Amino acid sequence: MNNGKIEIRNRALLVIIAAFLAGCLTLWAPYDKVEYWFCDLLYVAEKPVDNRIKIIGIDEKSLEEMGPFSGWTRQQAADLLNAFDQEHSPAVIAFDINFVGQRDEAGDRALAEAASAFPHVVLASYINYGTRVEQSDDGEYQINTMYVEDLELPYEALRSVTFHGFTNAVQDVDNYVRRSVLAESLGGDPPEKEYNFAWAIYSQYLEAMGERPRISNTVNGVYGFDYTAEPGMYEIYSYVDVAQGRCDPKVFQDSIVLVGAYAQGMMDQYMVPIARGAVMNGVEVQANHVDALLNDRTYVDVDRWIQALTAFLIAGFYVWLVSHNSFLVNTVGGLVLETGIVVAAKFLYNAGFYWKCLLPFVFVLFVFLVRVATGYLTERVRKHKILSVFRTYMAPQVVDELGKSGNYKIELGGRDREIAVLFVDIRGFTAMSEGLSPEKIVAILNCYLGMVTEAVFKNGGTLDKFIGDAVMAVYNAPLDVEDYACKAVQTGLDIVAAVDGINVELKKDYGIEIACGVGVHCGRAVVGNIGCSYRMDYTAIGDTVNVAERLESIARGGQVLISRDLYEQVKDRYNAVFAGSQSLKGRQEGMDVFWVEGTNGTDTSGKDT
């Protein structure tokens, strides 16, 4: 009872520690870069682009024909606007280009006049952030690293006839652009706000369509947007082709036109989750951003505390599951949990919530792999331990086969099966040993028992026990052994034959010789581990064992005696002489006994030798 309580307590402690660790890791998030990589793989997928969005790129072709961008005046931008057909004009024209400050008077005036002809022109502004110490309402001081120091706006004449939004990119810790700030406060009374560039474009488009802009949710004015397409998937037109009238202006009717850098040397490129390993031009990032706003594909991060609680519950549940159930249940449970995490994460993302689910996903996988590894190692240790025990009384080939089969359990109990049993004993050993020292007796027994063990193992037998100078062996247990009856008889003949060999050494070293009597019988017996939980022996019990022992007791030195039952099984392979009907101890009726003289010229497969 106490052991059970201790085990329950240990499991509960393990569950709590694992859950607490998972929750803390989620809360502290030391793995954000890997987390973002995993979430990008899980969430971001290419989708059909919104055909309302078109891009006019300042590409290599435009720079070749119109010269370096640094030498352009505002006249080039005016020319682009003048190339649009007023009757089939775009709904919104957005320049992802800064027109800060006045340059040449004619070009500045031309651009302002051209822009005034269109009701929805959006230009880029830029926020310069700084750092300052601020005092909160409760009197605490804190450092604000995103203090708006300055806002760079288009020049006054152009600003008065257009709209604007800031183009500052919000980059995560891995430098990828996934999020944006909806608006920044500029101060004043009432406070003024500057909205981001994509929102300004989106708002102007909905106004042109007679609708009101909306966003599903933001947290502290921050939201994420779902990317639609990889670089180059939107309709892209060369700036010079449009400005010089080479494109039919009707293709831009009622669309959102974004104008921006599309040449590599213009240094307006960002890393984005939909094109890992590549970069995307800033104007395409804005196109994806606008696409997400138009199609309501924005999201906010799930609260960090909720993520931590979720990781805590998932980790705790799976560790509890692993500590209480089988490998199959652990595997199925792990797969269900992993699938559930992925499905839930995708569902939340589509509903507008960004769940950083890597840690619970990896935690479940890690616990499963640890469970597999520990289970495998434990099983290997258990198998090695059991097979080491078996090797002390089984033939090596039988142990090897046992290891392959996987049926290696040491537990109390037995089962009824057909076996052959062999007993062998030294004739007159007690009288012979009376004149020998204990050291010599042990040496003689070791020599003799080693010879018998070798003969038993050679023929695939299982060494049951040593009983003084007697040895018991069984065949066809614990595994099936082909021709086990013949192999038991052959073991007896091998022992008798080997006695002559060891007698030479015994005569030389100790001045004695030995003779062995062997009894073999076959039949059904109960075979298994007999004893108690802390002391057990693998053995066979039953009448078959008793008969074999009685046969050995009446065998003279050099004789291998077998029963009629065994004789009927081996008579085609061994020559045996009928030794009469013998009265065996414990049996009322006599038993026919045969003395095996040797093989009859066939091998154990029944072929002529």
Side-chain angles (χ1 to χ4, degrees):
M1 186 66 179
N2 289 336
N3 289 338
K5 289 182 178 179
I6 292 174
E7 184 176 357
I8 293 174
R9 184 192 65 189
N10 290 340
R11 287 178 176 176
L13 184 61
L14 180 62
V15 169
I16 292 172
I17 291 174
F20 180 76
L21 179 63
C24 289
L25 286 175
T26 301
L27 197 60
W28 293 332
Y31 46 86
D32 268 351
K33 289 185 179 181
V34 180
E35 183 82 70
Y36 281 130
W37 169 82
F38 178 78
C39 289
D40 288 345
L41 294 178
L42 185 61
Y43 297 144
V44 182
E46 191 171 337
K47 294 166 280 292
V49 299
D50 193 319
N51 292 326
R52 294 174 289 181
I53 300 174
K54 305 182 190 305
I55 295 175
I56 297 176
I58 304 174
D59 55 6
E60 301 292 347
K61 178 181 178 182
S62 300
L63 298 179
E64 287 178 6
E65 295 190 26
M66 300 175 65
F69 184 73
S70 59
W72 289 18
T73 67
R74 273 60 184 277
Q75 183 63 51
Q76 277 84 351
D79 292 342
L80 181 73
L81 289 172
N82 292 329
F84 290 117
D85 186 345
Q86 292 287 336
E87 186 179 349
H88 304 95
S89 67
V92 177
I93 304 171
F95 284 86
D96 187 13
I97 303 170
N98 290 324
F99 295 110
V100 179
Q102 293 182 323
R103 298 182 66 176
D104 69 292
E105 184 177 346
D108 292 347
R109 184 173 57 254
L111 177 56
E113 290 176 356
S116 66
F118 298 91
H120 302 288
V121 176
V122 180
L123 304 177
S125 63
Y126 189 81
I127 296 176
N128 292 311
Y129 290 99
T131 301
R132 75 173 183 178
V133 178
E134 298 178 341
Q135 187 176 16
S136 61
D137 295 337
D138 57 4
E140 295 291 329
Y141 288 93
Q142 55 189 8
I143 298 177
N144 181 4
T145 59
M146 296 296 289
Y147 169 69
V148 178
E149 282 189 340
D150 181 37
L151 176 65
E152 296 181 5
L153 294 169
Y155 58 93
E156 176 61 31
L158 182 60
R159 186 168 68 246
S160 64
V161 295
T162 59
F163 302 89
H164 47 81
F166 64 86
T167 56
N168 301 66
V170 177
Q171 294 175 294
D172 289 322
V173 294
D174 59 352
N175 295 321
Y176 280 70
V177 177
R178 301 180 182 86
R179 291 168 177 75
S180 182
V181 177
L182 179 61
E184 287 284 12
S185 177
L186 304 178
D189 188 18
E192 295 182 26
K193 286 186 176 181
E194 179 77 358
Y195 287 87
N196 68 56
F197 186 60
W199 179 264
I201 297 170
Y202 165 68
S203 300
Q204 289 302 306
Y205 179 78
L206 289 192
E207 183 179 317
M209 298 295 108
E211 301 177 28
R212 291 179 62 84
R214 68 180 183 86
I215 187 167
S216 298
N217 45 23
T218 64
V219 175
N220 297 324
V222 178
Y223 64 93
F225 57 92
D226 183 30
Y227 280 80
T228 301
E230 296 181 357
M233 299 304 294
Y234 285 95
E235 287 184 53
I236 302 173
Y237 300 87
S238 176
Y239 189 103
V240 67
D241 288 341
V242 178
Q244 296 185 9
R246 300 173 193 166
C247 291
D248 185 354
K250 293 180 181 180
V251 300
F252 302 109
Q253 183 176 353
D254 297 330
S255 63
I256 298 172
V257 177
L258 287 92
V259 184
Y262 215 78
Q264 208 167 30
M266 297 185 71
M267 307 300 292
D268 186 28
Q269 296 175 323
Y270 299 91
M271 292 188 292
V272 294
I274 201 167
R276 298 196 70 90
V279 291
M280 178 178 283
N281 291 298
V283 68
E284 285 183 299
V285 175
Q286 299 293 352
N288 275 275
H289 191 166
V290 173
D291 200 328
L293 291 170
L294 286 172
N295 295 285
D296 195 22
R297 295 200 313 274
T298 60
Y299 58 81
V300 293
D301 288 349
V302 175
D303 184 84
R304 181 71 77 184
W305 284 100
I306 296 177
Q307 293 190 49
L309 177 61
T310 304
F312 178 92
L313 294 175
I314 291 174
F317 170 74
Y318 191 60
V319 171
W320 173 86
L321 185 72
V322 166
S323 64
H324 281 77
N325 294 285
S326 66
F327 177 77
L328 178 60
V329 173
N330 297 338
T331 302
V332 174
L335 289 174
V336 170
L337 267 180
E338 296 285 56
T339 303
I341 290 171
V342 171
V343 171
K346 292 283 286 184
F347 175 80
L348 288 172
Y349 184 74
N350 292 332
F353 298 95
Y354 191 94
W355 176 29
K356 295 180 181 179
C357 59
L358 174 64
L359 190 136
F361 185 89
V362 170
F363 194 92
V364 170
L365 179 62
F366 175 76
V367 171
F368 173 74
L369 293 177
V370 169
R371 174 68 179 85
V372 171
T374 55
Y376 173 77
L377 292 175
T378 301
E379 184 67 10
R380 284 291 297 258
V381 170
R382 188 179 74 88
K383 177 180 176 180
H384 178 75
K385 181 178 179 180
I386 293 174
L387 293 183
S388 295
V389 174
F390 283 151
R391 283 190 177 92
T392 63
Y393 56 82
M394 284 187 190
Q397 62 269 29
V398 176
V399 175
D400 291 341
E401 191 62 32
L402 192 66
K404 292 177 184 177
S405 69
N407 298 320
Y408 40 86
K409 293 183 179 179
I410 294 182
E411 56 187 9
L412 286 173
R415 58 194 181 102
D416 185 72
R417 65 183 291 141
E418 193 77 23
I419 64 170
V421 182
L422 175 145
F423 274 87
V424 58
D425 193 5
I426 300 176
R427 303 286 80 126
F429 183 74
T430 302
M432 179 182 62
S433 61
E434 290 180 354
L436 299 174
S437 66
E439 291 79 9
K440 290 185 178 181
I441 294 174
V442 171
I444 294 169
L445 276 177
N446 286 341
C447 182
Y448 153 73
L449 294 176
M451 175 270 294
V452 172
T453 301
E454 183 179 348
V456 171
F457 285 178
K458 174 185 174 184
N459 291 283
T462 297
L463 196 60
D464 188 295
K465 61 175 66 72
F466 297 134
I467 314 167
D469 62 315
V471 179
M472 174 183 169
V474 296
Y475 297 78
N476 206 40
L479 298 179
D480 293 337
V481 177
E482 187 178 357
D483 287 335
Y484 67 90
C486 290
K487 290 179 178 178
V489 173
Q490 186 62 49
T491 302
L493 293 175
D494 290 346
I495 290 173
V496 171
V499 167
D500 293 338
I502 67 170
N503 274 337
V504 175
E505 296 182 15
L506 295 178
K507 182 69 173 179
K508 176 182 177 182
D509 296 336
Y510 308 109
I512 64 167
E513 293 181 344
I514 63 172
C516 298
V518 180
V520 190
H521 180 52
C522 66
R524 304 202 69 81
V526 176
V527 183
N529 289 300
I530 310 299
C532 59
S533 59
Y534 54 85
R535 181 67 173 90
M536 65 181 73
D537 286 315
Y538 186 83
T539 189
I541 57 175
D543 187 61
T544 298
V545 179
N546 296 334
V547 170
E549 185 179 16
R550 301 296 184 267
L551 289 172
E552 176 269 316
S553 68
I554 64 172
R556 298 192 301 272
Q559 278 191 327
V560 178
L561 297 185
I562 64 175
S563 63
R564 176 172 286 279
D565 291 339
L566 184 53
Y567 170 75
E568 292 298 332
Q569 294 189 42
V570 303
K571 62 183 180 181
D572 293 336
R573 305 186 191 180
Y574 293 92
N575 293 324
V577 178
F578 181 61
S581 180
Q582 302 288 334
S583 178
L584 302 180
K585 183 179 178 181
R587 300 182 69 89
Q588 295 180 350
E589 298 180 359
M591 172 176 283
D592 291 344
V593 177
F594 292 80
W595 172 14
V596 181
E597 296 181 323
T599 62
N600 62 6
T602 58
D603 62 16
T604 56
S605 301
K607 299 177 182 178
D608 291 340
T609 58

